Amino acid sequence: VPVMTASAQENSGIGDLWNKIEEFRETLRLDHQFDVDRKNQTQNWLWVETRELLLSRFCDDPKIKLALEDLKQLVMDGQIQPAAAASMLVSEFLDKS
C-alpha cells in the first residue's frame, strides 16, 4: 500500500491526496462495493440506534432504577449471578402491568 504525505499547514500534497481519495471512491462505486458498504452501514446504524433507545428507556425506567440498586448489591455480595440479575431486570422492564 503506497503511503502519501500531505500537510495543510505547508499546503503540500492535499490535491494529490484528494485525487487518490476520489479515485478510490470511484473504484468502489464501479464495482458497487460503495453501495454494499453503505447498505450494511445503514443496517448497523439501525441496530445501534435501537440499542441506544432501548438502553436509554431501560435506564430511565423508575422500576429498573429501584430494582437495580438491590440487585447490584446482591451481585457484589455474590448472592446472585450477574446473568440472573440481568434477566430479572429485563423481565421487570418488559412487565408493563
Side-chain angles (χ1 to χ4, degrees), residues 47-97:
W47 285 111
V48 166
E49 292 298 322
T50 301
R51 283 184 197 105
E52 290 292 324
L53 181 59
L54 281 170
L55 185 58
S56 175
R57 290 189 181 175
F58 179 83
C59 291
D60 290 342
D61 188 297
K63 293 187 306 184
I64 298 306
K65 287 180 180 180
L66 185 62
L68 185 58
E69 290 306 312
D70 293 334
L71 288 172
K72 280 194 307 189
Q73 191 61 51
L74 292 173
V75 168
M76 288 190 310
D77 293 344
Q79 296 180 23
I80 187 171
Q81 292 295 313
S87 181
M88 293 169 71
L89 287 169
V90 169
S91 292
E92 179 72 23
F93 182 67
L94 295 176
D95 180 23
K96 295 297 180 187
S97 54

Side-chain angles (χ1 to χ4, degrees), residues 12-70:
S12 66
I14 301 297
D16 292 338
L17 179 60
W18 188 251
N19 288 338
K20 281 293 183 190
I21 291 170
E22 288 180 335
E23 185 180 306
F24 178 69
R25 184 169 183 198
E26 182 64 12
T27 301
L28 291 178
R29 189 188 66 77
L30 289 175
D31 72 3
H32 302 286
Q33 189 60 45
F34 185 82
D35 295 332
V36 169
D37 289 347
R38 178 61 70 184
K39 286 180 182 179
N40 289 335
Q41 189 177 42
T42 57
Q43 286 180 349
N44 185 51
W45 286 338
L46 168 65
W47 285 111
V48 166
E49 292 298 322
T50 301
R51 283 184 197 105
E52 290 292 324
L53 181 59
L54 281 170
L55 185 58
S56 175
R57 290 189 181 175
F58 179 83
C59 291
D60 290 342
D61 188 297
K63 293 187 306 184
I64 298 306
K65 287 180 180 180
L66 185 62
L68 185 58
E69 290 306 312
D70 293 334

